Amino acid sequence: MARSTNNPATKAASVTLATVARRAGVSPQTVSNALNSPELLRPETLDRVLRTIDELGYRPHRAAQTLRTRSSKLIGYGIRPTAPGASAPVMDRFLHALSQTADEAGYRILLFAAPPGTAGLDGYEELLDLHSVDGFVLSGTERGDQRQAWLEKRGVPFVAFGRMWSGRQIGDWVDVDGASGTDAAVEHLVGLGHRRIAFLGWPRGSGVGDDRAEGWQRAMRRHGLPVRGRRAQSVDDIASAQAAVGPLLDAGATAVITASDMLALGCYHALRERRAVPGADVAVVGFDDDPMAALLSPGLSTVAQPLEAVGRECVRLLLARMSEAGAPPERVLLEPSLVLRDSSTSPSDA
């Protein structure tokens, strides 16, 4: 069966640099300069060449471009395994934003498996050796993370989504201020009249989890509210969270802030087990604005991370690091936002 020639990708593949040069009325070298050294061209010439490239759908051959520029236009991103029973919608959204922003800058994200620990460094080394990636984006940063020092030692550009939670800070990073998010959640609940506000977090030692707990604790103390006996911990699992929140409810909490929407869902289960209604009887506020948050009944109030901005900033910092390796490190801390739904209302005894 003959293949259709109407495929845009097929048409783009048949367009060469010489084709663009003829259509734009310039030399092939001018087209090459427009792609690789646009600063060499006059603005009107550059505009004419770029418009022609867009009209013809020309796509430079990646291998040839790599030979000319010594750049693969590839950015490595290691995928870490997700814990059993947990979903990773936040990282899915981040990866989409990262890929889209990189694509707009002319780069592609190359995914690879990167298990935690020293074994995961093999994947980074392999991509450097076999694919000559231009840099890396890291995520899932944790205490004792070895990746930043390993990459810095080898002079490899990188940026991290997440701070370093122990030791000296290395390299550029973008992160979301989790403490600010839980602080805002406390302020919201206090404004509704709540005073017995509990926190259900992850086991201590998680950098991200401890940061979110710190915001809750800071805001509680600012309002002179007790924190003793108001904090519990659970792995990011619905059944575990359901069991862990029980003592907080027994102690009379009228509101619970959680370190994730998964933990908040465990609170929903615990309340229904007690024939109580989330929101009406006990307020619940999650973190991450998982897609399921708006679908729950009642809808879950939660803290949303600005993932599109994180993706944009990661690409911006990485490209800047590639162009100026010796520049001082840049660290960007972004503010989350509180998304209010029906799970956070005034206490029933107010």
Side-chain angles (χ1 to χ4, degrees):
M1 181 182 291
R3 292 185 179 179
S4 169
T5 58
N6 293 326
N7 189 324
T10 303
K11 289 184 177 180
S14 67
V15 176
T16 66
L17 185 141
T19 308
V20 175
R22 286 194 299 271
R23 175 71 69 88
V26 298
S27 69
Q29 183 59 51
T30 299
V31 178
S32 178
N33 286 342
L35 293 168
N36 302 308
S37 303
E39 69 278 1
L40 298 178
L41 302 182
R42 290 180 299 176
E44 58 270 23
T45 302
L46 177 61
D47 180 64
R48 184 166 77 253
V49 173
L50 293 179
R51 278 190 287 106
T52 304
I53 289 172
D54 186 57
E55 290 168 4
L56 296 177
Y58 173 61
R59 295 293 179 268
H61 189 276
R62 185 175 298 280
Q65 193 174 42
T66 298
L67 288 174
R68 288 194 304 270
T69 66
R70 297 187 181 277
S71 169
S72 65
K73 296 295 182 180
L74 294 174
I75 296 171
Y77 178 76
I79 300 290
R80 291 191 159 192
T82 302
S87 62
V90 172
M91 297 316 298
D92 289 346
R93 288 157 55 198
F94 162 70
L95 183 56
H96 180 270
L98 180 76
S99 301
Q100 184 175 30
T101 310
D103 183 67
E104 291 168 358
Y107 286 79
R108 294 291 184 270
I109 301 297
L110 184 59
L111 303 180
F112 63 101
T118 55
L121 297 176
D122 293 341
Y124 291 87
E125 189 161 22
E126 182 177 333
L127 257 68
L128 289 171
D129 291 342
L130 299 182
H131 299 282
S132 300
V133 296
D134 294 334
F136 289 95
V137 175
L138 313 179
S139 66
T141 56
E142 57 192 8
R143 299 188 192 278
D145 205 320
Q146 301 179 54
R147 293 174 296 172
Q148 295 91 333
W150 190 90
L151 292 167
E152 182 191 49
K153 182 178 179 180
R154 287 157 179 78
V156 179
F158 71 91
V159 63
F161 174 15
R163 285 161 273 180
M164 293 192 69
W165 298 104
S166 60
R168 68 184 181 93
Q169 296 291 311
I170 300 173
D172 307 300
W173 54 252
V174 182
D175 205 0
V176 176
D177 192 345
S180 175
T182 48
D183 187 310
V186 172
E187 287 293 332
H188 164 63
L189 292 168
V190 168
L192 292 174
H194 291 277
R195 294 298 179 267
R196 299 191 298 275
I197 304 170
F199 182 79
L200 178 61
W202 296 317
R204 286 175 170 83
S206 157
V208 174
D210 291 349
D211 184 48
R212 295 177 184 183
E214 169 59 29
W216 164 78
Q217 189 170 6
R218 180 179 69 202
M220 293 287 284
R221 287 177 172 165
R222 186 169 62 245
H223 286 282
L225 301 176
V227 296
R228 184 181 295 275
R230 299 276 187 228
R231 179 177 177 180
Q233 62 184 38
S234 167
V235 296
D236 213 36
D237 171 82
I238 295 173
S240 299
Q242 181 177 350
V245 77
L248 300 178
L249 300 175
D250 292 338
T254 64
V256 181
I257 297 171
T258 66
S260 73
D261 291 341
M262 186 71 70
L263 297 182
L265 190 53
C267 292
Y268 270 47
H269 283 229
L271 288 168
R272 290 193 169 118
E273 185 179 47
R274 295 160 180 256
R275 301 187 184 280
V277 179
D281 295 312
V282 176
V284 181
V285 179
F287 203 112
D288 284 337
D289 198 22
D290 186 299
M292 62 129 180
L295 303 177
L296 293 174
S297 180
L300 176 64
S301 293
T302 184
V303 179
Q305 301 194 57
L307 297 171
E308 290 75 16
V310 173
R312 288 194 302 270
E313 287 296 290
C314 280
V315 173
R316 180 183 69 80
L317 293 188
L318 183 57
L319 295 183
R321 180 60 53 198
M322 290 174 184
S323 64
E324 192 174 355
E330 187 172 351
R331 283 103 193 211
V332 178
L333 193 61
L334 299 173
E335 284 289 318
S337 58
L338 191 59
V339 179
L340 299 180
R341 300 189 179 99
D342 293 337
S343 71
S344 57
T345 59
S346 300
S348 55
D349 57 357

